[in-house]
Amino acid sequence: MTPVPPPAEELRLIDAELWHLHARSSQLLARRAWLVAHLSATSQHRPPAAAAPRPEATAPRVQNLLLLLGGLLLTIAAIAFTLVSWGHLGITGRALVLGAVTVAALAAPVPLLGRGLRSTAEAVAGLAFALTVLDAYALHAVALTGVDGTAYTAGASAVLAAGWTGYGLLRGPAGLRLPLPAALATAQLPLLLWAVASGAGPYGITAALLVTAACDTVVASRAPAGPARIVATVGAYGTGAWGVLGAAWLSWTAGGPGAAAEAATLLLFAAGVALAAALRDRAEVHAAGLCVAAGLLVVTALGGIVRPVLPATWTVPAHLAVGIALSGAVRAHRLPEPVRRGLALASAAVQGLAVLWALPLLLLTVLGPAGAAERVWSGAPDGARQAVSAGAPWLPQLLTAPLVLAAVAGVLVLAVRATAWRSRALQGALLLGWAALMVVPVVLDLPYPAALVVEGVAAAVLLAVATRSRTAESGHALPAPALALVTSVSLAFLALPARSATLGVFAGLTALFAAGSSGRRLATVTVPAALVSGTALACAVGAAAGWAPQHVALLVLVVPAVAALLAARAGDPRTAVAVEATGAAAGLLAVGLTGTDPAMLSLVLSLSAVIVAATAVRADRRPAAYAATALFALAAWVRLAAWDVTAPEAYTVPVSVPALVIGALRRRRDPQASSWAAYGPGLAVTLVPSLAAAWTDAHATRPWLVGAVALLVTLLGARHRLRAPLLLGGGVLVLDALHELAPYLVQVADALPRWVPFASAGLLLLAVGATYERRLRDVRRLREMLGRTH
């Protein structure tokens, strides 16, 4: 039996064993660290092993490139052998040799495919096809030299296409990919070359292209996915586009109904091919695109039939009628959804192009009257056309534009029933209806008063529609106010040539927009528009009365006063801002009109200050008091300048003293009141005119007195810590000192050498650089001190 030691002895043994293990572990860890360091140093000095070269091309690519190059070289050699010569052989001998080589080349792919060499078989087949072309050339050169070259090429290409197709369908070469695409590519030539050789003319050539495209379409719709389908699709689009463009050109240039009917037949054939392809196509997007093309071709064909028998101005309406009729096919539920969608898009495209065709006449009608600004009150025009096209070319081919615009508007109202598009359709219908109404007077060349009435009624109706609309989601709520504004601007310019028309139109627009401001929803637009029209009316009334511009300014000031009253009653902050901005613009216009008359300028500034002060009474417009104060002071200064006053203090001090007393009382009752509001007006009324007088005074008494008063005001401002006295007094003191020291500064500048300014600038730069460096040093020291702390 194993003796068990007592617990104390067992604990001693365990501690001893743990000590030995710890010592051995430390030894092993030290040895491991040395080995790691030794291996790292050895690997750093060891030269890196050279990386294995990486191939830049894969084996299949190299193989295909070699086969392609070999086939090309053999083809070039065969061409040279056939066309140039080979020893003593004539063309007949060369043809026999070439035929034998061709048969061998056509037979070679079969065993190659049996051995699994598909790429090599494809390369040899390509060489064989090139040899068959050379065989056809040799046959023409040996036995058929009298046959027309174009006709022979047409027949040869047909034979080659048929032969390559049969070769590709044979049991042996059936696995080759090249024969069928090559046959399809060659099949693009026979019909076209036959039409050229037979002298079929442009109609025959176009028909050959379209028939070829139809054949390609059939192949593309039936062939499996692969190279053959790709070649057929490319051929269908290429020859089809060429043929469609040719047919469209024949339709556009047709001189009579017969030629137009022939071109229409070609276009309808192309449309039928596109529609048939769309019915067989499973891709919805592709099918819809084909149906769009088919619809456009139908419109071009049917519209081209009637074009030769109609005047030029009815060409677009005729095409538009066909396009609108095309939209009726959309309701045919028997047609697939992609087809109906494509026809709808084609109809929409035709209608959009028709609207774009009528757009120049609308722009002329709306923007043309702006030219009347250069001939204000020069006399009423003879008619609406002269009123809008004076200085611009007339567009006689657009006489049917109102009919086009109205027709498209009717389609939008009647045809678009989907809930998601209904509101947008109604907006577009309203826009197009307005455009049609605007161009009617110009198209009919109505008398000048009738044109004014039509545009005025249009503006009133649009504003009434916008006012009665309850929600912005209704179909006509959004564009109606904008159209009303555009119409009013056009009407205002249209009325400028005649004095009575100008007064009547401006008065009517003012009343119209004022009446439209009864509702709050449109007040943001209508109230500023009424104020602008009122401003124009005031200017027109003053000019009609023969007033000078400075007297017209008093009439214009009525607009800012009305704007201040309306802004105070506006419930919408945006409306209040818009109204106040319009009133401010009218006030600036009034000030500009009095620029040549200082006395009237002072009066206008004073009245403007009263209006602004009335605005400042509102709690949310308290800052306007500063503007009112500035306007009052400016009016006083202008009045003093108008009176040629040389001692303005006699007029300004009696105003400044009460103003300063009132300001002191206000500061006593309201210590939080700003010093600018309390003392600014009283100080500025006297200091600024006195400073202006001091600058024009040749004696030293006034500048010294002004400087003394400015110094006293500055000290008082510093003593009581008030900004207005401090800044106003300091500014006046500095300007007065500059005026007094200016002659001496000029003398000093003349006495100084020219290098002194440059030296001063250099010293300044050195001082700035030294300061910059010192601050960087302090920053570094602070960073080091923070780095030493914990």
Side-chain angles (χ1 to χ4, degrees), residues 6 86 136 139 183-184 201 218 238 280 298 330 337 345 404 528 552 583 604 606 671 673 712 730 737 741-742:
W86 186 40
L139 179 62
L184 288 172
V218 172
R280 293 184 59 88
V298 171
V330 178
E337 176 61 23
L345 291 175
V404 169
V552 176
V604 169
S606 300
L712 178 61
L741 295 177

Side-chain angles (χ1 to χ4, degrees), residues 422-431 461-485 521-523 525-526:
R422 183 63 178 172
S423 60
R424 297 180 183 180
L426 292 179
Q427 293 175 14
L430 178 63
L431 177 61
V461 170
L462 288 169
L463 197 58
V465 169
T467 303
R468 292 182 180 180
S469 299
R470 297 296 182 184
T471 59
E473 288 77 16
S474 59
H476 43 254
L478 292 179
L483 294 179
L485 290 178
R521 190 173 59 83
L522 296 179
V525 176
T526 55

Side-chain angles (χ1 to χ4, degrees), residues 103-149:
V103 172
L106 289 173
V110 177
L112 291 175
L113 287 174
R115 294 176 177 270
L117 302 176
R118 177 178 298 275
S119 298
T120 306
E122 296 283 356
V124 175
L127 173 62
F129 296 155
L131 292 175
T132 56
V133 176
L134 294 176
D135 289 336
Y137 167 77
L139 179 62
H140 181 267
V142 172
L144 302 175
T145 55
V147 180
D148 179 66

Side-chain angles (χ1 to χ4, degrees), residues 510 527-528 530-539 551-569 575-594 603-616 618 621 624 631:
T510 303
V527 176
L531 294 175
V532 172
S533 301
T535 304
L537 177 62
C539 295
H551 298 139
V552 176
L554 297 177
L555 192 58
V556 174
L557 276 181
V558 176
V559 176
V562 174
L565 294 175
L566 295 176
R569 300 181 59 184
T575 303
V577 172
V579 170
E580 289 171 346
T582 307
L588 290 176
L589 176 61
V591 172
L593 291 174
T594 58
L603 178 59
V604 169
L605 289 173
S606 300
L607 295 176
S608 301
V610 172
I611 297 172
V612 177
T615 302
R618 295 162 49 191
R621 292 294 186 267
L631 289 173

Side-chain angles (χ1 to χ4, degrees), residues 294-724:
L296 294 177
L297 290 174
V298 171
V299 172
T300 306
L302 299 181
I305 292 177
V306 299
R307 186 193 59 81
V309 298
L310 292 177
T313 187
W314 286 95
T315 300
V316 173
H319 287 79
L320 177 62
V322 180
I324 293 175
L326 187 66
S327 62
V330 178
R331 300 183 180 182
H333 297 286
R334 295 181 180 180
L335 296 176
E337 176 61 23
V339 175
R340 291 191 285 117
R341 188 189 316 135
L343 295 180
L345 291 175
S347 177
V350 173
Q351 296 177 53
L353 292 174
V355 171
L356 290 178
W357 171 79
L359 186 60
L361 183 58
L362 176 63
L363 294 178
L364 178 63
T365 303
V366 175
L367 303 179
E374 300 178 355
R375 52 183 190 280
V376 177
W377 294 355
S378 59
D382 295 334
R385 290 184 187 177
Q386 184 182 1
V388 302
S389 62
W394 172 240
L395 305 173
Q397 67 274 18
L398 298 178
L399 293 179
T400 55
L403 179 61
V404 169
L405 296 171
V408 178
V411 171
L412 290 176
V413 173
L414 299 176
V416 181
R417 296 294 183 180
T419 306
W421 294 92
R422 183 63 178 172
S423 60
R424 297 180 183 180
L426 292 179
Q427 293 175 14
L430 178 63
L431 177 61
L432 293 175
W434 165 80
L437 181 62
M438 290 289 288
V439 300
V440 164
V442 180
V443 169
L444 301 180
D445 197 14
L446 296 180
Y448 178 64
L452 295 175
V453 171
V454 170
E455 292 201 5
V457 171
V461 170
L462 288 169
L463 197 58
V465 169
T467 303
R468 292 182 180 180
S469 299
R470 297 296 182 184
T471 59
E473 288 77 16
S474 59
H476 43 254
L478 292 179
L483 294 179
L485 290 178
V486 173
T487 306
S488 65
V489 173
S490 176
L491 179 60
F493 282 112
L494 189 64
L496 290 180
R499 176 181 301 181
S500 59
T502 302
L503 296 174
V505 166
F506 285 164
L509 290 177
T510 303
L512 176 64
F513 285 111
S517 303
S518 57
R520 291 185 177 182
R521 190 173 59 83
L522 296 179
T524 306
V525 176
T526 55
V527 176
L531 294 175
V532 172
S533 301
T535 304
L537 177 62
C539 295
V541 169
W547 294 359
Q550 58 269 26
H551 298 139
V552 176
L554 297 177
L555 192 58
V556 174
L557 276 181
V558 176
V559 176
V562 174
L565 294 175
L566 295 176
R569 300 181 59 184
D572 186 8
R574 295 180 300 175
T575 303
V577 172
V579 170
E580 289 171 346
T582 307
L588 290 176
L589 176 61
V591 172
L593 291 174
T594 58
T596 58
D597 190 342
M600 290 300 299
L601 176 59
S602 175
L603 178 59
V604 169
L605 289 173
S606 300
L607 295 176
S608 301
V610 172
I611 297 172
V612 177
T615 302
V617 173
R618 295 162 49 191
D620 57 339
R621 292 294 186 267
R622 296 298 188 200
Y626 297 106
T629 302
L631 289 173
F632 273 123
L634 186 59
W637 301 338
V638 172
R639 174 59 64 181
L640 293 177
W643 287 343
D644 295 329
V645 174
T646 57
E649 292 81 8
Y651 301 91
T652 58
V653 171
V655 176
S656 294
V657 172
L660 292 174
V661 172
I662 294 174
L665 294 177
R666 180 181 177 183
R667 287 276 299 177
R668 181 175 297 179
R669 295 179 60 182
D670 183 13
Q672 301 299 325
S674 172
S675 62
W676 287 104
Y679 304 117
L683 293 174
V685 166
T686 296
L687 288 178
V688 176
S690 299
L691 177 63
W695 272 65
T696 58
D697 196 342
H699 302 87
T701 303
R702 181 183 298 276
W704 281 101
L705 292 176
V706 171
V709 173
L711 178 61
L712 178 61
V713 170
T714 304
L715 294 177
L716 289 175
R719 172 67 177 80
H720 297 284
R721 297 181 181 179
L722 299 176
R723 292 183 180 179

